[in-house]
Amino acid sequence: MKKKLIAGNWKMNGGLAANEALVQALRAGVGAPACAVALCVPAPYLAQVRELCAGSALNLGAQDVSVHEQGAYTGEVSAAMLRDFGVRYCIVGHSERRQYHGETDATVAVKAQRALAAGITPIVCVGETLAEREAGHTEDVVKRQLAAVIHLNGHCISEIVVAYEPVWAIGTGKTATPAQAQTVHALLRAQLHAASEKSDRIALLYGGSMNAANASELLAQPDIDGGLIGGASLKAPDFLSIIAAAR
Ligand code: PGA
């Protein structure tokens, strides 16, 4: 069985002192986990967190990457720059980027491609809004979002991670039930299977108010291979409990 992955998404939270305290507490508690662990931190803190994580089971992650390789793109951060700082994972297409920064399926697909070309594992996020779920469009939406990434990246998709994050569950305390999450994960699994012979190695994460109390049940579903955790990744005891639940 493949290793599960627990990735923390700090979003736009943190500061030098808070980061140090959080990572020290995680280091002290994480030991040799059964799963892979990543911390997706704001870009300015990559260097700091890289040092804090050195020699531990904690891997470095970023939250976004530019669609461009290099050049006159003020404010952007390239995949090569992330690689320079030892980044192993990069979230692409988070719903907050899609919603607030106009990222389209095509943009997300290119971002995944840039990460892959730099040897970074993209964590490709897909998920429906509440209105889309209520209209019965969940399957169409998540499949369309993933299809764009599959089309552009071809056989390389065996190197991606996919995170199913229902938008209505993000930061709301409203988690998808294990059965709701499993249903969508099974659809995504089938779509990946049809696209790649090596799809078995692709981890499918669930994200959206995953916490210390609900992690075990979600992670016990057959097609849930880990979690992308926002709020609960900022509290060391909670994040450590989730890591311990991923075996
Ligand atoms: P949440 O965020 O755990 O705070 O709901 C998850 C995410 O946005 O990745």
Side-chain angles (χ1 to χ4, degrees):
M1 219 177 82
K2 65 177 159 286
K3 255 194 185 183
K4 289 191 165 58
L5 168 64
I6 299 296
N9 174 10
W10 290 6
K11 308 194 180 186
M12 200 170 73
N13 294 293
L16 289 173
N19 300 345
E20 184 161 353
L22 177 55
V23 179
Q24 298 294 11
L26 292 173
R27 275 193 79 119
V30 75
C35 62
V37 181
L39 305 178
C40 300
V41 310
Y45 298 126
L46 288 169
Q48 182 205 14
V49 176
R50 179 191 201 181
E51 279 208 1
L52 289 168
C53 291
S56 79
L58 305 169
N59 293 291
L60 191 60
Q63 299 176 7
D64 187 27
V65 64
S66 178
V67 293
H68 305 290
E69 255 185 287
Q70 62 158 40
Y73 301 103
T74 302
E76 291 286 274
V77 175
S78 74
M81 293 171 185
L82 297 179
R83 188 187 45 204
D84 272 349
F85 282 89
V87 165
R88 299 275 307 275
Y89 297 92
C90 182
I91 298 170
V92 298
H94 190 279
S95 65
E96 287 151 15
R97 306 271 340 151
R98 294 180 190 259
Q99 259 186 303
Y100 310 140
H101 302 275
E103 290 194 8
T104 63
D105 295 342
T107 313
V108 175
V110 176
K111 290 187 171 195
Q113 186 182 43
R114 293 287 180 223
L116 286 166
I120 294 169
T121 302
I123 301 176
V124 176
C125 300
V126 300
E128 81 288 1
T129 63
L130 186 58
E132 288 164 341
R133 173 165 282 266
E134 286 176 349
H137 295 153
T138 299
E139 178 169 352
D140 290 350
V141 170
V142 298
K143 281 189 169 173
R144 187 201 74 223
Q145 292 171 333
L146 185 56
V149 176
I150 291 172
H151 270 112
L152 189 68
N153 291 283
H155 68 272
C156 293
I157 56 136
S158 60
E159 306 302 318
I160 73 173
V161 166
V162 176
Y164 169 54
E165 297 205 305
V167 178
W168 47 270
I170 294 176
T172 56
K174 211 174 153 189
T175 319
T177 64
Q180 279 174 325
Q182 168 56 30
T183 301
V184 177
H185 279 233
L187 292 170
L188 297 172
R189 178 81 72 208
Q191 188 179 4
L192 290 165
H193 188 66
S196 164
E197 283 169 8
K198 295 186 196 152
S199 65
D200 285 356
R201 64 160 77 167
I202 302 174
L204 285 180
L205 315 185
Y206 169 78
S209 300
M210 192 188 266
N211 58 38
N214 61 28
S216 297
E217 215 191 333
L218 286 160
L219 293 167
Q221 300 302 307
D223 290 303
I224 299 187
D225 308 315
L228 181 56
I229 292 102
S233 74
L234 298 171
K235 297 173 218 140
D238 295 37
F239 195 55
L240 288 168
S241 298
I242 297 170
I243 292 167
R247 46 187 71 256

PDB file of all heavy atoms in Angstrom, residues 4 10 24 33 44 98 108 123 138 164 183 223 225 239:
ATOM      1  N   LYS A   4       0.462   7.227   2.978  1.00  0.00           N
ATOM      2  CA  LYS A   4      -0.444   8.366   2.958  1.00  0.00           C
ATOM      3  C   LYS A   4       0.375   9.661   3.035  1.00  0.00           C
ATOM      4  O   LYS A   4       1.551   9.636   3.409  1.00  0.00           O
ATOM      5  CB  LYS A   4      -1.423   8.271   4.132  1.00  0.00           C
ATOM      6  CG  LYS A   4      -2.464   7.158   3.962  1.00  0.00           C
ATOM      7  CD  LYS A   4      -3.555   7.284   5.006  1.00  0.00           C
ATOM      8  CE  LYS A   4      -4.796   6.458   4.702  1.00  0.00           C
ATOM      9  NZ  LYS A   4      -4.575   5.024   4.543  1.00  0.00           N
ATOM     10  N   TRP A  10      -0.711  26.310   5.438  1.00  0.00           N
ATOM     11  CA  TRP A  10      -0.744  27.412   6.403  1.00  0.00           C
ATOM     12  C   TRP A  10      -1.514  28.618   5.881  1.00  0.00           C
ATOM     13  O   TRP A  10      -1.843  29.528   6.639  1.00  0.00           O
ATOM     14  CB  TRP A  10       0.684  27.849   6.759  1.00  0.00           C
ATOM     15  CG  TRP A  10       1.465  26.873   7.587  1.00  0.00           C
ATOM     16  CD1 TRP A  10       1.084  25.594   7.960  1.00  0.00           C
ATOM     17  CD2 TRP A  10       2.775  27.078   8.156  1.00  0.00           C
ATOM     18  NE1 TRP A  10       2.072  25.008   8.717  1.00  0.00           N
ATOM     19  CE2 TRP A  10       3.122  25.889   8.851  1.00  0.00           C
ATOM     20  CE3 TRP A  10       3.682  28.137   8.138  1.00  0.00           C
ATOM     21  CZ2 TRP A  10       4.339  25.759   9.530  1.00  0.00           C
ATOM     22  CZ3 TRP A  10       4.899  28.000   8.801  1.00  0.00           C
ATOM     23  CH2 TRP A  10       5.211  26.828   9.491  1.00  0.00           C
ATOM     24  N   GLN A  24       9.075  23.684  15.732  1.00  0.00           N
ATOM     25  CA  GLN A  24       9.782  22.989  16.827  1.00  0.00           C
ATOM     26  C   GLN A  24       8.858  21.987  17.508  1.00  0.00           C
ATOM     27  O   GLN A  24       9.260  20.862  17.817  1.00  0.00           O
ATOM     28  CB  GLN A  24      10.304  23.988  17.880  1.00  0.00           C
ATOM     29  CG  GLN A  24      11.325  24.993  17.388  1.00  0.00           C
ATOM     30  CD  GLN A  24      12.661  24.376  16.968  1.00  0.00           C
ATOM     31  OE1 GLN A  24      12.771  23.160  16.846  1.00  0.00           O
ATOM     32  NE2 GLN A  24      13.665  25.210  16.724  1.00  0.00           N
ATOM     33  N   PRO A  33       7.019   9.113  11.274  1.00  0.00           N
ATOM     34  CA  PRO A  33       5.607   8.828  11.015  1.00  0.00           C
ATOM     35  C   PRO A  33       5.409   7.760   9.951  1.00  0.00           C
ATOM     36  O   PRO A  33       6.291   7.533   9.109  1.00  0.00           O
ATOM     37  CB  PRO A  33       5.068  10.176  10.518  1.00  0.00           C
ATOM     38  CG  PRO A  33       6.257  10.877   9.955  1.00  0.00           C
ATOM     39  CD  PRO A  33       7.450  10.416  10.734  1.00  0.00           C
ATOM     40  N   PRO A  44       7.662  33.730   1.553  1.00  0.00           N
ATOM     41  CA  PRO A  44       8.784  34.380   2.244  1.00  0.00           C
ATOM     42  C   PRO A  44       9.396  33.527   3.350  1.00  0.00           C
ATOM     43  O   PRO A  44      10.524  33.789   3.775  1.00  0.00           O
ATOM     44  CB  PRO A  44       8.151  35.647   2.845  1.00  0.00           C
ATOM     45  CG  PRO A  44       6.903  35.857   2.078  1.00  0.00           C
ATOM     46  CD  PRO A  44       6.427  34.507   1.668  1.00  0.00           C
ATOM     47  N   ARG A  98      -8.604  29.946  -7.154  1.00  0.00           N
ATOM     48  CA  ARG A  98      -9.597  29.941  -8.247  1.00  0.00           C
ATOM     49  C   ARG A  98     -10.629  31.046  -8.016  1.00  0.00           C
ATOM     50  O   ARG A  98     -10.986  31.767  -8.938  1.00  0.00           O
ATOM     51  CB  ARG A  98     -10.299  28.580  -8.313  1.00  0.00           C
ATOM     52  CG  ARG A  98      -9.384  27.414  -8.720  1.00  0.00           C
ATOM     53  CD  ARG A  98     -10.189  26.110  -8.753  1.00  0.00           C
ATOM     54  NE  ARG A  98      -9.396  24.907  -8.902  1.00  0.00           N
ATOM     55  CZ  ARG A  98      -9.236  24.236 -10.046  1.00  0.00           C
ATOM     56  NH1 ARG A  98      -9.804  24.645 -11.153  1.00  0.00           N
ATOM     57  NH2 ARG A  98      -8.505  23.132 -10.076  1.00  0.00           N
ATOM     58  N   VAL A 108      -4.410  26.271 -13.930  1.00  0.00           N
ATOM     59  CA  VAL A 108      -4.017  25.262 -12.944  1.00  0.00           C
ATOM     60  C   VAL A 108      -3.221  24.140 -13.612  1.00  0.00           C
ATOM     61  O   VAL A 108      -2.219  23.652 -13.082  1.00  0.00           O
ATOM     62  CB  VAL A 108      -5.271  24.715 -12.215  1.00  0.00           C
ATOM     63  CG1 VAL A 108      -4.908  23.585 -11.269  1.00  0.00           C
ATOM     64  CG2 VAL A 108      -5.987  25.851 -11.472  1.00  0.00           C
ATOM     65  N   ILE A 123       0.255  19.442  -5.796  1.00  0.00           N
ATOM     66  CA  ILE A 123      -0.948  18.967  -5.108  1.00  0.00           C
ATOM     67  C   ILE A 123      -2.101  19.708  -5.782  1.00  0.00           C
ATOM     68  O   ILE A 123      -2.353  20.882  -5.506  1.00  0.00           O
ATOM     69  CB  ILE A 123      -0.899  19.261  -3.596  1.00  0.00           C
ATOM     70  CG1 ILE A 123       0.333  18.590  -2.954  1.00  0.00           C
ATOM     71  CG2 ILE A 123      -2.192  18.800  -2.909  1.00  0.00           C
ATOM     72  CD1 ILE A 123       0.513  18.900  -1.461  1.00  0.00           C
ATOM     73  N   THR A 138     -21.618  18.116  -8.859  1.00  0.00           N
ATOM     74  CA  THR A 138     -20.321  17.798  -8.244  1.00  0.00           C
ATOM     75  C   THR A 138     -19.431  16.979  -9.176  1.00  0.00           C
ATOM     76  O   THR A 138     -18.271  17.325  -9.416  1.00  0.00           O
ATOM     77  CB  THR A 138     -20.542  17.025  -6.917  1.00  0.00           C
ATOM     78  OG1 THR A 138     -21.279  17.867  -6.039  1.00  0.00           O
ATOM     79  CG2 THR A 138     -19.220  16.657  -6.271  1.00  0.00           C
ATOM     80  N   TYR A 164      -9.081  16.512  -3.107  1.00  0.00           N
ATOM     81  CA  TYR A 164     -10.498  16.857  -3.247  1.00  0.00           C
ATOM     82  C   TYR A 164     -10.895  17.731  -2.069  1.00  0.00           C
ATOM     83  O   TYR A 164     -10.854  17.281  -0.914  1.00  0.00           O
ATOM     84  CB  TYR A 164     -11.371  15.600  -3.287  1.00  0.00           C
ATOM     85  CG  TYR A 164     -12.849  15.934  -3.165  1.00  0.00           C
ATOM     86  CD1 TYR A 164     -13.452  16.844  -4.025  1.00  0.00           C
ATOM     87  CD2 TYR A 164     -13.637  15.381  -2.153  1.00  0.00           C
ATOM     88  CE1 TYR A 164     -14.796  17.182  -3.892  1.00  0.00           C
ATOM     89  CE2 TYR A 164     -14.985  15.703  -2.025  1.00  0.00           C
ATOM     90  CZ  TYR A 164     -15.550  16.616  -2.900  1.00  0.00           C
ATOM     91  OH  TYR A 164     -16.872  16.966  -2.766  1.00  0.00           O
ATOM     92  N   THR A 183     -17.183   8.882  -2.120  1.00  0.00           N
ATOM     93  CA  THR A 183     -17.873   8.826  -3.418  1.00  0.00           C
ATOM     94  C   THR A 183     -17.115   9.632  -4.465  1.00  0.00           C
ATOM     95  O   THR A 183     -16.877   9.158  -5.582  1.00  0.00           O
ATOM     96  CB  THR A 183     -19.309   9.392  -3.273  1.00  0.00           C
ATOM     97  OG1 THR A 183     -19.992   8.602  -2.307  1.00  0.00           O
ATOM     98  CG2 THR A 183     -20.068   9.378  -4.577  1.00  0.00           C
ATOM     99  N   ASP A 223     -10.421   5.089  -0.706  1.00  0.00           N
ATOM    100  CA  ASP A 223      -9.759   5.936  -1.701  1.00  0.00           C
ATOM    101  C   ASP A 223      -9.266   7.260  -1.136  1.00  0.00           C
ATOM    102  O   ASP A 223      -8.954   8.172  -1.886  1.00  0.00           O
ATOM    103  CB  ASP A 223     -10.700   6.175  -2.891  1.00  0.00           C
ATOM    104  CG  ASP A 223     -10.886   4.906  -3.702  1.00  0.00           C
ATOM    105  OD1 ASP A 223      -9.861   4.359  -4.158  1.00  0.00           O
ATOM    106  OD2 ASP A 223     -12.027   4.425  -3.825  1.00  0.00           O
ATOM    107  N   ASP A 225      -6.264   8.895   0.606  1.00  0.00           N
ATOM    108  CA  ASP A 225      -4.853   8.570   0.862  1.00  0.00           C
ATOM    109  C   ASP A 225      -4.140   9.645   1.655  1.00  0.00           C
ATOM    110  O   ASP A 225      -2.909   9.719   1.639  1.00  0.00           O
ATOM    111  CB  ASP A 225      -4.105   8.407  -0.472  1.00  0.00           C
ATOM    112  CG  ASP A 225      -4.792   7.442  -1.408  1.00  0.00           C
ATOM    113  OD1 ASP A 225      -5.214   6.358  -0.945  1.00  0.00           O
ATOM    114  OD2 ASP A 225      -4.931   7.765  -2.602  1.00  0.00           O
ATOM    115  N   PHE A 239      -2.354  18.886  14.510  1.00  0.00           N
ATOM    116  CA  PHE A 239      -1.715  18.379  13.285  1.00  0.00           C
ATOM    117  C   PHE A 239      -1.007  17.056  13.574  1.00  0.00           C
ATOM    118  O   PHE A 239      -1.079  16.126  12.771  1.00  0.00           O
ATOM    119  CB  PHE A 239      -0.741  19.436  12.743  1.00  0.00           C
ATOM    120  CG  PHE A 239      -0.308  19.193  11.328  1.00  0.00           C
ATOM    121  CD1 PHE A 239      -1.239  19.049  10.301  1.00  0.00           C
ATOM    122  CD2 PHE A 239       1.049  19.116  10.998  1.00  0.00           C
ATOM    123  CE1 PHE A 239      -0.847  18.834   8.976  1.00  0.00           C
ATOM    124  CE2 PHE A 239       1.456  18.908   9.680  1.00  0.00           C
ATOM    125  CZ  PHE A 239       0.515  18.757   8.673  1.00  0.00           C
TER     126      PHE A 239
END
